[in-house]
């Protein structure tokens, strides 16, 4: 659609002739060459029409590539980022760098970055934003995803929009991986210390719906999408090939079972990624709720 083409053109125009910079070499290796650019194009293609009219938008936990995109949109939008694992600093068309440190306006950022643990209440007043964006973040939270989404509702004005995406534990590919004796998770691998678990929890459709509604949102749109991503990044094929040396005899699913799984592909919630557009209409209820939280 038109929004997809606008975001695609933005990436293509801004990313050309920039790979000679050390920051962009890392950016390409980690986010562009493996398919994450396509994921962001899909997501922001759906978000862009709303952002074009937003007065104050909050992007929670953005990746460096997402930060770059927002830096290019910044002259037209009032965008703030919090909770990013790495802030991506734009200085000029010829100077980019990654930074794990807070940087001020003297460094020439095109957008504001607030360093913050998003599992703790953010340092903004209630109702400060009319759009909150949280793409591929909540699966990394180890302690309290409900509390984090409730805080996003607090920061959002009544009637404002939240956009949220996360890997889909109920996708066709996840079901097939389970039947092939593998982890259903899109990213099941552990990271090197001190990172530990890369995805702390991948969510089912019912879990996401429960979290979002419990946090005081009414869901306007709920669907899924797919995008190509290399196995070198998400460890999917590399992880699965470890079963080749298993001493346990494991039979693959039969052809009828595989055909039944394939028949699920047309369902709007069977893609690799869940995408929600939700409107802040209710009061957040941050108390832990079964079955997502244990009672002990």
């Amino acid at each position: 659609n038109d929004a997809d083409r606008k975001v695609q053109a933005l990436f293509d125009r801004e990313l050309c002739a920039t790979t000679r910079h050390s920051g962009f070499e890392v950016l390409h290796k980690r986010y562009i060459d493996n398919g994450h650019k396509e994921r962001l194009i899909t997501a922001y293609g759906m978000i862009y029409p709303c952002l074009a009219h937003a007065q104050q938008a909050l992007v929670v936990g953005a990746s460096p590539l997402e930060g770059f995109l927002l830096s290019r949109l910044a002259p037209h939008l009032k965008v703030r980022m919090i909770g990013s694992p790495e802030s991506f600093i734009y200085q000029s068309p010829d100077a980019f760098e990654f930074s794990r440190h807070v940087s001020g306006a003297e460094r020439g950022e095109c957008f504001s970055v607030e360093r913050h643990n998003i599992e703790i209440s953010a340092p903004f007043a209630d109702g400060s934003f009319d759009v909150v964006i949280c793409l591929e973040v909540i699966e990394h939270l180890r302690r309290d995803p409900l509390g984090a989404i409730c805080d996003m509702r607090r920061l959002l004005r009544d009637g404002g929009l939240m956009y949220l995406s996360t890997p889909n534990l109920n996708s066709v590919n996840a079901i097939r991986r389970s039947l092939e004796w593998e982890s259903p998770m899109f990213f099941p691998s552990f990271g090197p210390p001190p990172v530990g678990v890369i995805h702390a929890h991948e969510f089912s459709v019912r879990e996401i719906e429960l979290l979002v509604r419990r946090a005081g949102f009414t869901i306007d749109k709920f669907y899924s999408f797919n995008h190509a991503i290399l196995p070198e990044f998400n460890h999917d094929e590399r992880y699965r090939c470890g079963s080749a040396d298993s001493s346990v005899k494991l039979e693959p699913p039969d052809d009828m079972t595989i055909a039944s799984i394939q028949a699920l592909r047309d369902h709007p919630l069977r893609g690799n990624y869940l995408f929600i557009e939700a409107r802040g209409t209710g009061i957040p209820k941050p108390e832990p709720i079964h079955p997502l939280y244990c009672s002990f």
Side-chain angles (χ1 to χ4, degrees):
N1 58 36
D2 289 342
D4 281 346
R5 285 192 287 271
K6 286 180 181 178
V7 177
Q8 176 75 63
L10 178 71
F11 270 116
D12 291 343
R13 183 175 68 251
E14 300 294 346
L15 290 176
C16 66
T18 57
T19 54
R20 65 183 182 275
H21 303 296
S22 60
F24 261 94
E25 290 174 5
V26 177
L27 188 70
H28 270 273
K29 183 178 180 181
R30 287 183 55 186
Y31 294 99
I32 298 175
D33 296 337
N34 56 40
H36 269 288
K37 184 181 82 167
E38 284 67 32
R39 174 178 66 79
L40 280 175
I41 288 171
T42 300
Y44 273 93
M46 294 183 279
I47 296 170
Y48 185 83
C50 175
L51 274 184
H53 301 96
Q55 296 299 311
Q56 190 82 314
L58 176 67
V59 183
V60 179
S63 70
L65 181 61
E66 189 176 354
F68 171 79
L69 169 63
L70 292 169
S71 76
R72 313 313 292 137
L73 293 174
H76 311 287
L77 305 170
K78 297 177 181 177
V79 177
R80 304 195 76 171
M81 281 178 24
I82 66 170
S84 178
E86 294 173 306
S87 51
F88 186 69
I89 308 304
Y90 169 79
Q91 294 178 304
S92 72
D94 296 318
F96 300 84
E97 69 174 18
F98 288 98
S99 173
R100 290 186 180 276
H101 307 289
V102 179
S103 300
E106 70 276 8
R107 297 296 299 277
E109 296 93 336
C110 287
F111 56 91
S112 174
V113 179
E114 298 285 343
R115 302 291 291 157
H116 182 68
N117 178 355
I118 65 174
E119 293 196 78
I120 300 172
S121 185
F124 302 113
D126 296 2
S128 296
F129 302 92
D130 49 8
V131 177
V132 172
I133 300 169
C134 184
L135 306 181
E136 313 306 309
V137 174
I138 63 168
E139 66 273 11
H140 297 275
L141 303 186
R142 300 166 185 248
R143 185 176 65 86
D144 188 10
L146 175 59
I149 299 176
C150 284
D151 200 52
M152 294 178 209
R153 171 66 187 98
R154 177 187 68 80
L155 297 172
L156 194 66
R157 65 169 175 79
D158 289 343
L161 291 174
M162 176 185 72
Y163 293 95
L164 183 147
S165 71
T166 191
N168 182 9
L169 197 62
N170 298 139
S171 70
V172 168
N173 288 337
I175 294 171
R176 181 163 184 164
R177 286 194 293 267
S178 292
L179 291 174
E180 292 176 348
W181 312 103
E182 303 290 350
S183 168
M185 289 179 64
F186 183 77
F187 202 113
S189 300
F190 288 85
V195 175
V197 179
I198 303 295
H199 282 186
H201 184 100
E202 292 186 8
F203 293 88
S204 69
V205 170
R206 289 192 181 276
E207 287 174 331
I208 286 295
E209 181 181 21
L210 178 64
L211 281 173
V212 171
R213 295 192 188 282
R214 181 81 172 180
F217 290 94
T218 297
I219 297 175
D220 290 347
K221 299 177 182 178
F222 193 179
Y223 44 89
S224 66
F225 65 90
N226 294 302
H227 74 92
I229 187 167
L230 296 185
E232 286 79 5
F233 183 87
N234 77 340
H235 296 206
D236 186 51
E237 295 303 323
R238 183 178 296 177
Y239 179 90
R240 296 175 70 189
C241 74
S243 64
D245 59 1
S246 173
S247 61
V248 180
K249 181 68 173 177
L250 300 174
E251 296 295 332
D254 56 41
D255 291 342
M256 183 176 296
T257 301
I258 294 297
S260 299
I261 297 171
Q262 296 296 105
L264 297 174
R265 289 191 180 277
D266 292 334
H267 193 283
L269 293 176
R270 291 297 184 185
N272 288 332
Y273 287 88
L274 297 173
F275 185 90
I276 287 180
E277 177 185 299
R279 194 172 303 275
T281 56
I283 299 173
K285 299 175 182 178
E287 299 81 11
I289 184 173
H290 181 79
L292 274 171
Y293 293 85
C294 297
S295 59
F296 48 87

